Amino acid sequence: MNETQLIARVIAGDRLAGRELYDMHASRVYSLAYRLSGDAEKAREFTQDAFIRAFSRLSQFRGDAAFSTWLHRIVVTVVSNARRSEIRFGREVALDEAHSIEATAQQAEPDLRECIARAVENLSEVYRTTLIMHDIEGYTHAEIAGILGVPEGTCKSRLSAARAQLRQDLAAFKE
Amino acid sequence: MDENRFDEVIRDLPQSLNTPSEPPLDEMWKVIEDAHFNSPASTRRPGGMNSRAPWLAAAAALLIGIGIGRYVPLGNETQQSGNAASAVASTQRLAAGADTSAIADAYRDQTSNYLGQAAALLISLPPQNASGKADAAFAGKAADLLVTTRLLMDSPAAQDPKLRSLLEDLELVLVQIARLRGERNKGDLDLIHQAVEQGDVLSRLNSAVVTNQSSE
């Protein structure tokens, strides 16, 4: 059974077809959710949320783009919305925690892995998403452009800007 | 850090940044399956309303008819008594191409009423750590609103892309609330609150109520 037939069966309420469609995409969806969130529990929740949303809206999927593109766009939206909420909440507690974070930071020089993680975290949402999708998860520019709904050129310039900022943030690092 | 070293860092990123653990595929599928296939609210079928279930189409015609029957000017016709008769008459007028602005008014009013009820339900949703005493009442109300949500999604009211997107998010949240009817897990309410917050549903709902009222 091909993917289009599977989708039709899921819309008709066939749970075995649902599982098959899920098995075809779940690992990559989870991997992307994990890279974007950096947390196994969140990745699990985002993956579940993305599939629940996708299945409930499957009848609106017109097949203009590949199903994986449509699904991955949902994942990126789910993760972005969650991160925005976290950032909003983080701002509220930041003042309370600022002192303790500063004290910890002075105790030891962070290693390169930590510095990279922090530098990637500091990128703006669009740069970060593009960098993670391209340089870490191996999506092509065409795939990213389809998922994020931007022209391929925009995608390339975002990646270039993301790397430039990363290079700048890591410039001072001495091994 | 020099250029070569930086290139190495980029090349090694897949191994050095948030390397994923093995995905808990079966565990995740159980949640998805419960939410989508086992939920009483997950019985949507493809195609138009008529192909989905004839009774649903009839119910929709009656509901919309009742709404329109209250708004479409009757002109020279004799006022029918009773909602059912009014619904039949107004549905016939709709089929005959009745005054479109009156029909739009009817949809708008039904939408306003629905949005107000949905906002009230979400605002009064129990906090994450609340006991499950009131769950059945919330689930029942959510199931009712879910029917209206789906009718509106298939109606001209959903032609507005903003409203359509809001209805889609509300559908997801209401499905989750409707599931509280059975025994709930510790995280169920968490997930509902997260879905409301992630989709910014309440503020979009408030804004839709205001927009809808101001256009009346």
Side-chain angles (χ1 to χ4, degrees), chain A residues 160-172:
Chain A
S160 169
R163 284 181 183 167
Q165 193 180 323
L166 207 58
R167 184 182 288 122
Q168 194 182 330
D169 285 0
L170 295 174

Side-chain angles (χ1 to χ4, degrees), chain B residues 5-16:
Chain B
R5 182 69 183 108
F6 181 74
D7 288 343
E8 266 177 45
V9 165
I10 292 289
R11 206 173 45 242
D12 294 342
L13 272 179
Q15 287 77 46
S16 60

Side-chain angles (χ1 to χ4, degrees), chain A residues 11 15 18-19 22 30 34-35 38 44-45 49 53 55 57 60 81 112 117 136 163 167 171 175, chain B residues 1 3 5-6 9 14 17-18 21 23 25-26 28-29 32-33 36 38 46 168-169 172 194 198:
Chain A
I11 294 171
R15 70 181 64 208
R19 176 69 203 233
Y22 166 82
Y30 177 83
Y34 195 106
R35 297 285 196 182
R44 193 171 67 86
E45 283 174 16
D49 197 6
R53 278 176 191 238
F55 282 174
R57 297 174 186 180
Q60 292 159 34
N81 287 343
L112 178 60
I136 301 180
R163 284 181 183 167
R167 184 182 288 122
E175 288 171 276
Chain B
M1 179 180 291
E3 286 296 306
R5 182 69 183 108
F6 181 74
V9 165
L17 193 79
N18 299 338
S21 52
L25 292 176
D26 289 335
M28 291 190 294
W29 171 250
I32 296 162
E33 188 181 29
H36 185 73
N38 295 344
E168 285 167 3
D169 284 346
L172 183 68
Q194 273 177 32
Q198 280 168 20

Side-chain angles (χ1 to χ4, degrees), chain A residues 89-104:
Chain A
F89 177 73
R91 280 194 195 118
E92 287 162 18
V93 294
L95 283 174
D96 296 337
E97 292 180 353
H99 180 72
S100 59
I101 289 169
E102 194 182 343
T104 315

Side-chain angles (χ1 to χ4, degrees), chain B residues 23-98:
Chain B
L25 292 176
D26 289 335
E27 225 177 280
M28 291 190 294
W29 171 250
K30 196 174 176 311
V31 176
I32 296 162
E33 188 181 29
D34 278 351
H36 185 73
F37 294 98
N38 295 344
S39 156
S42 65
T43 50
R44 275 197 106 193
R45 292 293 178 267
M49 216 180 322
N50 293 334
S51 67
R52 228 176 277 143
W55 64 268
L56 191 59
L62 190 64
L63 181 78
I64 293 166
I66 289 167
I68 293 167
R70 289 181 184 155
Y71 290 89
V72 176
L74 288 172
N76 295 330
E77 289 178 45
T78 310
Q79 175 96 35
Q80 304 276 347
S81 62
N83 278 344
S86 161
V88 171
S90 56
T91 308
Q92 284 168 348
R93 281 196 298 278
L94 174 63

